[in-house]
Structure formats: structure tokens, C-alpha cells
Amino acid sequence: MPKGRTLAGRLAVGDETIDLFKGDWDPAPRLDQDFDGDGRKDVLVANKAGVVVHDPQGRPLLRLRSHDVDVKAAIGDLDGRPGAEVVLFVAHFGIVVLGARG
């Protein structure tokens, strides 16, 4: 384990397992939601500079960078259909909901 970091989760990529580590200063990845509705859990990392969602193979599904605008994110199933939605609060702009179209 890298010094000063803790295990945040594991990803299965093909036959490999990749450990995700975080430090106290890092945003915790969310590994419990299926953003694109394909039945597999995706990886969401959100911090004040933006949001990135990757599929289990590491391909980006969503990448939003806000640079110096504070962003807070939550992910979950809002409509009961396959694919979780990402709710973003963007400082000075408001709330935006993003989800896979099915």
C-alpha cells in the first residue's frame, strides 16, 4: 500500500484486479452504482473541480471539469429505469441531473 494512502476499493478489469487508493485529501470514489445501465457497477469520482465516471474497463462515460467553480455530486437511481443518474450542484448555476438515455 502506498504510504499515506488507504484502500478505497477494487476494480475487476478482465482477469486483473486493480486497487484504488486514496489519501485524506482525495475524493472517495463511488463504486456502488451502474451509471450507463449495462448491469455493471461504474466508478464515479467527484471533487470541487468536476466529475468523472468510468466503466469497469476504465473507459470514460462522463467527464465534467469545472476548473474553479465548486461542484458537488451525488449518484443514484432517480427514475427506476436502468442506469443511475448523477445530480450535480454547481455553485452560482444550480442543480443539473445527468443520466444515460435508454
Side-chain angles (χ1 to χ4, degrees), residues 15-101:
D15 294 334
E16 284 186 64
T17 300
I18 299 172
D19 291 340
L20 298 173
F21 296 99
K22 71 176 191 115
D24 291 338
W25 58 91
D26 293 329
R30 292 282 309 267
L31 306 170
D32 62 340
Q33 296 290 328
D34 174 17
F35 179 70
D36 57 4
D38 66 357
R40 295 175 299 163
K41 304 295 187 213
D42 301 310
V43 180
L44 175 131
V45 178
N47 61 25
K48 67 181 237 168
V51 176
V52 179
V53 179
H54 292 278
D55 69 10
Q57 286 72 41
R59 293 183 296 257
L61 300 172
L62 171 70
R63 188 179 312 251
L64 170 77
R65 293 286 176 222
S66 65
H67 303 291
D68 61 349
V69 177
D70 190 25
V71 173
K72 292 180 179 32
I75 186 170
D77 182 16
L78 298 177
D79 60 8
R81 295 184 302 176
E85 288 72 40
V86 175
V87 179
L88 304 172
F89 171 75
V90 183
H92 310 295
F93 293 97
I95 294 175
V96 178
V97 179
L98 304 171
R101 200 173 168 154

